[in-house]
Amino acid sequence: MGGDPISLNQDADLHLYMDGEMEPARRAAFEAQLAANPALAAKLHDYLHQQEMLKLGLDMMSGVTLRETETLAGRLRWRLDMDRFTRRVAPLAAAMLLVMGGWSLTVWVQEGGSGPQLAGETDDVPAFADEAVEAHSKAVALSALHPSPPQADATPVPALAQTALAQAATVQTARVPMGADRGMTVALPAIDPELTLIRAAIVPWNHGTALQFLYREPDGELLTLFVASGDPAQDGTLHTVVQDSLRLVYWRAGLVAYTVTGNKADGDLLNVAKRMADSVRRS
Amino acid sequence: MTFSLRDQLSNQLRSLRRYALALARNRDDAEDLVQETLVRAISGSRTFRPNGDLRSWLFGILHNVHVNGVRREQVRARGASAIEAMSNGQVPPSQPGHVELMRTMEAFATLPEEQRRVLTLVAVEGMSYQEAARLLDIPLGTLMSRLARGREALRVEMGHRDRAQPSPLRAVR
């Protein structure tokens, strides 16, 4: 009961020690202080005992649960389970929608066969290519979040879709329905042997619907092919543009515009795009 | 991580009730607090991330429910005297150390609310300082000083009570 031999530092350390917040390297040194200082050890003992009493007391008093509380807890459990289930199943459901509901690539072909100009097209980057950049960013982010096996996300669309993405993955053309009996054939590039198709999706954009394919290159780089309907032009020339830190290569073939988007530093992108363009031309 | 959601929620329900008791010092208010927390959690279940920390999420809701004032005023009115009734009613006399337990709980009820909060979260629920400080939205230093003051106040209070109240074990037959 004489002078308190516990220093302020020791007092602060006492709490860190008993709450497991003290660095492991300092624990041994503090334990030595505890062994050498009975007052400090007694205080630790008091605190630990007090902690036990508190736990015991609160635990006892909270032991009885009202039925209403249990019911609410059950409802919460159900909701969390459902949310978890929904999150898991949502991508699958989207794929199912695609398969069962079919799809339509809305093409801007005016009566008489001539397509409209794409609005918002600038001198530098056409609107479809601009859209392709955004779609690429989204697809890459999605892929990082859900590194899942190949799947398809879709917006609900008319029939014949079940074959379309399958066709896209295996053959070079896909019949794209438009309304009741209008339609167009979209030529798609054969899959480059060096690329792995990891996602195929129908994506909406400002001018209708487009197809998007996400591929992985052997070095792990992701690239996307964005296929959209455009104004009629037989411009097979490959245009390379860098936008938003991404490199994109686009070309047109008839009513269809193709854009390959990838990392700015991806030196292979132009070669991949060339092979795709050649493949489309041959089909 | 291997615990099912059912197990996790059952464990957290008990923890929530303990924390609610420490805040409300009254069993009915504590139960109300827990129920309101669960109601809010149900309506906001989508805000819980699948890999998130269920405990932090639920404690955060309970804390907000308590702090929003309406309930606080009701609880304050019923105050510290209630915990004595509560501990008298809830701690079985046959429990070993029953008297000491009751005294501890009574002393705990006299602590300021901010000290009770910190003591419950860290000493009873075993939260890290970081987690508790984040939950209470206070700096780490503040949390540490409240914890130290709370523990010391409780120790001193218990010492006084020990001296003031002779143990029933010494009672003459």
Side-chain angles (χ1 to χ4, degrees):
Chain A
M1 284 299 217
D4 190 349
I6 301 173
S7 71
L8 283 176
N9 280 346
Q10 283 178 322
D11 200 50
D13 281 348
L14 195 59
H15 298 281
L16 294 175
Y17 178 78
M18 69 180 284
D19 294 326
E21 298 274 345
M22 183 175 273
E23 301 90 353
R26 290 185 57 213
R27 288 187 75 85
F30 188 73
E31 278 163 4
Q33 289 181 41
L34 279 170
N37 187 337
L40 190 61
K43 200 169 187 181
L44 175 65
H45 176 267
D46 283 355
Y47 283 165
L48 287 173
H49 183 64
Q50 168 195 110
Q51 190 161 300
E52 260 176 53
M53 288 286 111
L54 273 184
K55 271 185 193 165
L56 194 61
L58 285 174
D59 216 30
M60 267 181 194
M61 292 172 203
S62 61
V64 185
T65 313
L66 294 185
R67 176 174 290 192
E68 292 88 339
T69 312
E70 282 297 341
T71 307
L72 284 170
R75 278 178 56 198
L76 175 60
R77 193 182 304 125
W78 184 82
R79 281 298 290 268
L80 292 175
D81 274 338
M82 282 305 293
D83 288 347
R84 192 180 281 189
F85 176 77
T86 309
R87 280 190 181 101
R88 280 186 189 158
V89 166
L92 222 104
M96 292 281 287
L97 256 179
L98 172 68
V99 170
M100 297 177 71
W103 66 302
S104 74
L105 178 61
T106 306
V107 183
W108 268 252
V109 181
Q110 289 175 335
E111 294 296 327
S114 63
Q117 282 295 112
L118 291 174
E121 186 164 326
T122 64
D123 288 338
D124 297 323
V125 182
F128 65 79
D130 194 42
E131 193 75 21
V133 171
E134 199 180 320
H136 171 80
S137 302
K138 278 183 191 162
V140 169
L142 201 66
S143 170
L145 281 173
H146 305 287
S148 53
Q151 59 181 343
D153 304 324
T155 50
V157 276
L160 295 183
Q162 62 266 44
T163 52
L165 286 176
Q167 284 176 338
T170 54
V171 301
Q172 286 183 258
T173 60
R175 179 76 184 161
V176 182
M178 284 174 42
D181 18 48
R182 286 165 46 190
M184 67 179 292
T185 299
V186 177
L188 297 169
I191 292 194
D192 193 304
E194 289 191 2
L195 299 179
T196 309
L197 177 66
I198 58 174
R199 193 186 298 273
I202 296 174
V203 290
W205 72 299
N206 289 347
H207 302 282
T209 313
L211 298 175
Q212 187 192 36
F213 302 93
L214 181 67
Y215 302 93
R216 191 182 298 284
E217 291 184 280
D219 60 0
E221 290 276 2
L222 293 174
L223 61 89
T224 59
L225 169 66
F226 188 83
V227 184
S229 54
D231 52 332
Q234 276 301 340
D235 176 17
T237 314
L238 270 61
H239 303 267
T240 305
V241 183
V242 172
Q243 189 178 328
D244 298 336
S245 300
L246 294 171
R247 183 183 299 279
L248 57 108
V249 182
Y250 66 87
W251 72 97
R252 294 179 174 96
L255 287 170
V256 187
Y258 302 84
T259 308
V260 180
T261 313
N263 195 307
K264 190 169 72 174
D266 188 352
D268 288 330
L269 198 70
L270 187 57
N271 292 332
V272 171
K274 269 182 190 161
R275 288 200 294 271
M276 285 184 172
D278 287 345
S279 164
V280 168
R281 209 171 295 123
R282 283 196 302 269
S283 66
Chain B
M1 285 309 229
T2 54
F3 288 116
S4 70
L5 187 61
R6 179 178 291 269
D7 293 337
Q8 284 184 52
L9 204 56
S10 298
N11 292 339
Q12 294 317 321
L13 193 58
R14 187 122 194 191
S15 296
L16 282 176
R17 206 176 286 115
R18 282 194 295 255
Y19 187 45
L21 263 169
L23 295 178
R25 296 179 294 179
N26 173 293
R27 198 165 171 274
D28 292 338
D29 288 330
E31 203 66 29
D32 281 354
L33 202 50
V34 171
Q35 287 184 5
E36 192 164 334
T37 299
L38 292 172
V39 167
R40 292 203 186 182
I42 290 166
S43 64
S45 65
R46 288 194 166 273
T47 62
F48 177 67
R49 287 172 287 112
N51 297 320
D53 183 341
L54 187 65
R55 178 170 75 166
S56 290
W57 183 63
L58 289 172
F59 270 70
I61 297 173
L62 189 143
H63 179 75
N64 290 336
V65 169
H66 177 70
V67 168
N68 78 9
V70 178
R71 180 171 308 282
R72 200 179 193 178
E73 288 312 309
Q74 296 170 346
V75 171
R76 203 173 271 159
R78 282 179 258 187
S81 61
I83 202 157
E84 294 177 21
M86 174 180 76
S87 52
N88 274 328
Q90 298 297 316
V91 181
S94 57
Q95 175 73 27
H98 155 255
V99 175
E100 187 188 4
L101 200 57
M102 272 179 50
R103 275 196 239 150
T104 306
M105 297 314 293
E106 286 166 18
F108 178 66
T110 64
L111 296 181
E113 183 177 312
E114 66 263 18
Q115 291 177 11
R116 294 202 312 275
R117 281 185 201 168
V118 171
L119 265 174
T120 310
L121 294 179
V122 175
V124 178
E125 299 304 331
M127 282 190 186
S128 70
Y129 289 178
Q130 279 284 359
E131 192 181 358
R134 204 180 315 123
L135 181 79
L136 299 172
D137 198 22
I138 55 175
L140 207 59
T142 307
L143 177 119
M144 289 164 71
S145 67
R146 284 180 186 174
L147 184 64
R149 275 187 276 127
R151 276 184 175 140
E152 190 53 23
L154 199 53
R155 192 173 79 106
V156 170
E157 180 65 23
M158 289 303 292
H160 284 305
R161 284 171 191 244
D162 279 348
R163 283 189 291 278
Q165 287 181 275
S167 160
L169 290 175
R170 290 187 199 152
V172 179
R173 269 197 279 174

